[in-house]
Amino acid sequence: MTLSLLLLMPTAVLADNKNNDSDDPPPQTRGTSGGSRGCETQTEASLTSIPNIILLAPNQSYGQSSVNNPTFAWYVKNTSSLQMEFRLYEYDKTNKQSRLVKEIKDETFKSSPGIMVLSIASLELSVGRRYLWQVELVCDANRPSGNPFAIAAMKVVSTPPDLIKQISQNNDVLIKANLYNQADFWYNTLNIALI
C-alpha cells in the first residue's frame, strides 16, 4: 500500500520543482544520477539502459525535508547481493565544500533488487543546511572508480505553520502525503509513502 501512494500521485506534481532556486542550484558532482554500469559485463550493459542505481529523489533541484532524520530510498537493478556504501555530506555553499556527516561502509550493508529504504535514527540534520547523499554499489573494491553510484542534493527547512495545521487536522496518509507534496517537501512525502 505504501508504494501505491507514490504511484497515485500525478507525475507532474511529483516533478514540479518549486524549490529550484535559479540562484541556488545543487552543487555539481563528479557522477551522474545513474552512476556507471560497473557491475555488469559489456554484453549485459548493452542489453539495457536502466542504471544500476536510481535514487528516489529530485535530480535537478534540492529535495526538501522538514525532518532532521529523513528517509533515503533508491532502486537497485542488480539481482545479486552486493556490498553497498552510503555517504551523507553537509554542503557549504559559501566555500563550495562538503563535509562528511555520515558513512555506512560495512560488510552487512548489502543490496537487494528493487526499492531499498534507509532510515538512520541517530541522524540529526540541521534546519537551513544543505546536504548531498550518495549510494554506491561495490562491484570491485580494488577498482572503486568503476563502481556505480548516484548522488542527490537535499535541504532541511522549517515546516510552514499553515502546513503543520493542515497535517495535524488529517489522519488520512494519502491526504498527508499530498499536502507535503503540494508544499514541495519531497522527503516528507517519501517517508509517508515508504514507511
Side-chain angles (χ1 to χ4, degrees):
M1 167 164 157
T2 55
L3 180 57
S4 63
L5 291 176
L6 278 179
L7 299 175
L8 291 174
M9 289 183 227
T11 306
V13 173
L14 286 173
D16 189 9
N17 289 327
K18 291 175 273 192
N19 72 352
N20 191 8
D21 303 326
S22 60
D23 294 340
D24 188 24
Q28 295 298 312
T29 62
R30 297 188 192 274
T32 62
S33 63
S36 67
R37 291 179 176 78
C39 294
E40 302 168 326
T41 65
Q42 190 67 21
T43 306
E44 290 171 325
S46 64
L47 294 176
T48 180
S49 62
I50 299 172
N52 281 323
I53 302 172
I54 300 171
L55 301 183
L56 300 183
N59 63 4
Q60 297 298 316
S61 65
Y62 284 98
Q64 291 189 126
S65 176
S66 67
V67 294
N68 58 4
N69 58 344
T71 298
F72 302 97
W74 58 91
Y75 169 82
V76 176
K77 179 181 76 171
N78 290 47
T79 56
S80 57
S81 180
L82 298 166
Q83 184 176 343
M84 299 189 76
E85 295 179 0
F86 173 88
R87 291 177 192 86
L88 178 69
Y89 301 91
E90 183 176 335
Y91 179 71
D92 183 345
K93 77 176 196 174
T94 305
N95 64 16
K96 298 185 181 348
Q97 298 293 316
S98 297
R99 176 184 62 84
L100 184 64
V101 173
K102 179 71 176 176
E103 183 174 46
I104 300 174
K105 214 177 156 175
D106 69 52
E107 293 177 16
T108 61
F109 189 47
K110 302 271 188 185
S111 68
S112 60
I115 294 176
M116 294 188 66
V117 177
L118 177 64
S119 296
I120 307 169
S122 63
L123 192 61
E124 292 290 327
L125 304 183
S126 302
V127 172
R129 302 294 179 133
R130 287 157 167 62
Y131 298 89
L132 298 171
W133 61 283
Q134 174 184 338
V135 177
E136 179 178 339
L137 283 175
V138 181
C139 302
D140 184 349
N142 296 320
R143 198 179 133 247
S145 63
N147 292 341
F149 66 95
I151 297 174
M154 68 177 296
K155 61 183 171 181
V156 181
V157 297
S158 297
T159 308
D162 60 323
L163 180 59
I164 293 172
K165 182 179 178 183
Q166 289 176 319
I167 294 293
S168 68
Q169 293 173 345
N170 284 289
N171 292 326
D172 185 309
V173 292
L174 183 56
I175 291 173
K176 286 182 178 186
N178 278 319
L179 287 169
Y180 277 123
N181 187 52
Q182 290 169 4
D184 207 26
F185 283 87
W186 171 262
Y187 291 92
N188 298 63
T189 306
L190 187 67
N191 186 57
I192 289 172
L194 294 177
I195 302 297

